Every structure is written in structure tokens, then in C-alpha cells.
Amino acid sequence: MSYLIKPAGYKALLNLSQTEMGIKKIKDFFQQNLSSELRLRRITAPLFVLKGMGINDDLNGTERAVTFPIKDLNDSKAEIVHSLAKWKRLTLADYHIEEGYGIYTDMNAIRSDEELGNLHSLYVDQWDWERVMSESERNIDFLKEIVRRIYAAMVRTEYLVYEMFPQIRPTLPQQIHFIHSEDLLQKYPTFTPKEREDAITKEYGAVFIIGIGCSLSNGEKHDGRAPDYDDWSTIAENGQTGLNGDLLVWDDILNRSLELSSMGIRVNKEALLRQLDICKAEEKKELYFHKRLLNSELPQSIGGGIGQSRLCMFYLRKAHIGEIQASIWPEEMRKEARAAGMILI
């Protein structure tokens, strides 16, 4: 079901022309900074992949991919990508990317099962990135260092927006706060995961929640993750589970937390087998991607995705992602949004 948040007294700070100019500047500046921070080279990426090879991202494992038959391949089915989490790792191997370097690309997806609203669209655009790492970097400290570098690019980009549009005042703190999902549960034991995210992000302004996909002490997960890309089951040096997480910032317009990125150290052979067993998905071991990983043909890596429209929405102080990107919305939502000051493209 679609759901619309209507901030009281909302009025866009930029007109349509200024918004389009801002989107272009933000995207150009941020991706250049991301590339420099993480030593990433830009590559081209597919819009679709063959079904049944285990390459597409399964997200939480329940979302349906948009599929279509290919006439010249005897009607073999292709799937619109959900993200490029596993494709990027294959590409690191095939391009022979060296340790300490990586790739990034524009990922465009269609997620037909999204619940449409201020933050969710049928159309998803993000920077997908992946970087080769060593065995010695397989730890929480390395994950945090990568997060800090990405966040530094975000802070610089917010200042660029302020230079362009002085009416948009910077709000991001200089440092990002880290917390494990189990510690977050203990801090707010009566809250739902979303309420916990809102509470901690409002307190600190920018937060990285570690350990997404692992079971917590209450027997539940903070959020779901597929078993075959992020490593959410390894026990870290501090005794906590998970080498991945989500980056959130506080959105003053919507008065809630806003997830801008999901990232993590990727599964090695041991973590993949463990997580397939936990999720009762052992049959995936026979798929193309999984075979290559289990045969030690893929490098160890860290990677993630950063939402392009969400990032622009946050920087330009928009109340709806449809003010940033063109998509399809329920007609009733368009009418309600317009009445509340949100003009959907």
C-alpha cells in the first residue's frame, strides 16, 4: 500500500529549473569524490541479467524481479536487476582489479513490489560500488574506515549545495556515529526497528548501524538481508555479529531518518555456506555466481549502494522522491502531494 507523509507547511526551496541544476551538480560532484576517496574507476553496467544464474540481487529474498523473454535466446528469461551486488564482484575478478582499488557504476532498476511513498519509487537509481580487499581487512575497523570516507564525501557535497543555494543550510554533523544493531535494541528495547533508527539518528544526525541481517537477542532481525552478498553472520573481534550495515541521516523535512546507503564486507566461502544454511537456501550453491565464489575465483571485497535520488532529495530539502525523479505514482498520491506542496515529476 502507498503511504504519503505530508509535512505541515512544506514549501519547496527550489523551483523546477533550480532543482534540475542541483541534481546535476550533486551527482557529478559526489561521484567524483566517491571515486577519489575509495580509488574506484567507473564502468558500464547491465540493466538486466539472465535469470537462474544467481547474479541478480535477492534483496530481502521476497521481492519479485521484472522478467521478460529474449527471442534470440529461445525465449530464455532475463531479469531487470534489483541491484548489482553480486555482478560487481564477478566484474572485479573479470577485470583483474588490484587490491585496494575498485569500481563504481550507475545502477538503474525497477522494483515492482515497492510500497510507494515519499522515499520509495518503482524506479531505483544508485551508485553501486565494489572494492577489492585483503583477508587482514576483514574486520569492523576496516568497515568503519570505508564508511567514514564515504561520509566525508557526503559532507563535502552538502557544502557544495550550500554554495549554490545559500537558503539550504548544512545540517550534517562532521562525524558519523557507529552503533551495532544489538546495542541499538538494548538502548530502545520497546521500540520497533524503524523507531530505533529514528531515535538514534535524531540524536546524532548521521548514524551507521552495524549488523543488518543477523538475529538479535530478542530472536528478531533488525532488517532482512539475502544470504549471498553481505557477511552478516561472522562474529567480529568485539564479539558482535555482522560486517555490514546501513548509513542513515536525519531528515528535518520529513522528521524521520533517511537511509542513504547499505554496504558491507562481502561473504567469503565460509560465510556463504553458513548463511545459505541459516536461510535454508543450500540449493544456491549450484548457481553460477556461487560456484565461482566457492571455487575461489572471486576476490574478497567490500561494496554497497548509495541512493542517487535519495541523496539529492536530502540535499535539496525535498519532501518526496518524486520531486527528484520521474516515475509512476497513484493518481490519488499525485493529487495529495500537489495539495501539500510536492510537485511530482
Side-chain angles (χ1 to χ4, degrees):
M1 293 179 61
S2 58
Y3 177 71
L4 182 66
I5 301 171
K6 294 180 277 190
Y10 172 73
K11 184 174 177 16
L13 296 178
L14 306 177
N15 62 33
L16 289 175
S17 295
Q18 290 172 317
T19 298
E20 293 289 1
M21 181 173 65
I23 291 170
K24 177 69 165 60
K25 290 285 188 180
I26 288 167
K27 289 187 176 183
D28 288 347
F29 184 83
F30 180 79
Q31 68 181 355
Q32 184 178 25
N33 276 262
L34 177 70
S35 173
S36 298
E37 283 286 354
L38 300 186
R39 293 186 290 188
L40 309 175
R41 69 180 67 170
R42 192 185 186 285
I43 62 168
T44 57
L47 176 60
F48 42 82
V49 294
L50 281 174
K51 184 178 181 179
M53 298 186 70
I55 298 175
N56 205 356
D57 181 357
D58 292 330
L59 302 177
N60 290 321
T62 59
E63 295 87 349
R64 299 171 300 171
V66 176
T67 63
F68 61 92
I70 305 172
K71 180 180 178 182
D72 275 3
L73 293 181
N74 297 316
D75 280 348
S76 295
K77 294 289 178 53
E79 295 180 334
I80 304 293
V81 296
H82 275 146
S83 86
L84 299 169
K86 298 197 282 287
W87 179 87
K88 291 177 297 182
R89 198 165 176 187
L90 293 168
T91 303
L92 289 179
D94 294 343
Y95 281 37
H96 305 290
I97 303 297
E98 297 180 7
E99 186 179 302
Y101 296 87
I103 57 176
Y104 80 95
T105 190
D106 289 305
M107 191 284 299
N108 297 291
I110 301 172
R111 296 182 183 173
S112 58
D113 287 340
E114 284 287 8
E115 296 180 357
L116 305 181
N118 299 67
L119 302 178
H120 294 278
S121 170
L122 297 174
Y123 170 61
V124 178
D125 56 341
Q126 66 184 35
W127 290 286
D128 253 323
W129 63 273
E130 200 83 10
R131 172 173 150 153
V132 180
M133 53 175 274
S134 67
E135 176 64 32
S136 64
E137 291 171 326
R138 197 172 189 83
N139 55 67
I140 289 293
D141 288 340
F142 179 67
L143 173 64
K144 288 181 177 180
E145 174 61 23
I146 295 297
V147 172
R148 289 189 185 101
R149 288 180 174 273
I150 294 172
Y151 184 69
M154 290 182 176
V155 172
R156 286 196 294 274
T157 305
E158 188 182 41
Y159 185 70
L160 170 77
V161 175
Y162 173 56
E163 286 188 313
M164 292 173 59
F165 307 113
Q167 66 271 41
I168 298 178
R169 307 287 298 183
T171 61
L172 290 176
Q174 289 301 301
Q175 303 297 326
I176 189 168
H177 179 74
F178 293 92
I179 189 168
H180 192 277
S181 53
E182 177 62 36
D183 294 331
L184 191 58
L185 171 63
Q186 297 306 317
K187 185 177 177 70
Y188 305 108
T190 63
F191 288 13
T192 65
K194 182 67 188 68
E195 290 170 341
R196 297 197 291 269
E197 289 180 356
D198 286 347
I200 194 68
T201 309
K202 186 173 185 178
E203 180 179 352
Y204 288 98
V207 178
F208 188 79
I209 301 174
I210 300 169
I212 306 293
C214 59
S215 294
L216 306 178
S217 59
N218 63 357
E220 301 175 358
K221 300 175 182 179
H222 183 83
D223 199 1
R225 282 293 185 276
D228 47 13
Y229 55 100
D230 281 353
D231 184 343
W232 43 258
S233 65
T234 291
I235 306 297
E237 294 90 334
N238 59 6
Q240 293 178 323
T241 307
L243 296 172
N244 69 337
D246 290 343
L247 191 158
L248 301 95
V249 299
W250 182 252
D251 189 321
D252 284 323
I253 303 299
L254 296 178
N255 195 36
R256 55 158 290 167
S257 61
L258 178 62
E259 181 189 322
L260 295 179
S261 179
S262 175
M263 70 186 81
I265 291 172
R266 306 309 199 184
V267 291
N268 55 14
K269 289 192 291 185
E270 294 75 21
L272 175 63
L273 292 172
R274 182 170 57 248
Q275 291 176 188
L276 290 178
D277 178 62
I278 292 171
C279 295
K280 302 294 186 284
E282 291 92 341
E283 71 280 358
K284 289 192 173 186
K285 290 187 292 186
E286 301 305 315
L287 298 176
Y288 174 75
F289 169 83
H290 304 72
K291 281 184 174 180
R292 288 195 63 179
L293 177 56
L294 293 173
N295 288 336
S296 301
E297 296 176 16
L298 305 181
Q300 296 210 53
S301 68
I302 183 171
I306 303 167
Q308 295 185 14
S309 289
R310 280 201 186 179
L311 202 68
C312 293
M313 176 186 168
F314 171 74
Y315 287 137
L316 301 179
R317 307 300 186 248
K318 300 293 187 178
H320 197 292
I321 199 167
E323 296 178 88
I324 297 295
Q325 56 158 255
S327 186
I328 296 173
W329 308 98
E331 190 56 35
E332 188 61 30
M333 178 180 287
R334 281 191 176 275
K335 292 177 181 177
E336 287 187 37
R338 178 176 287 274
M342 296 172 272
I343 310 301
L344 306 190
I345 301 173

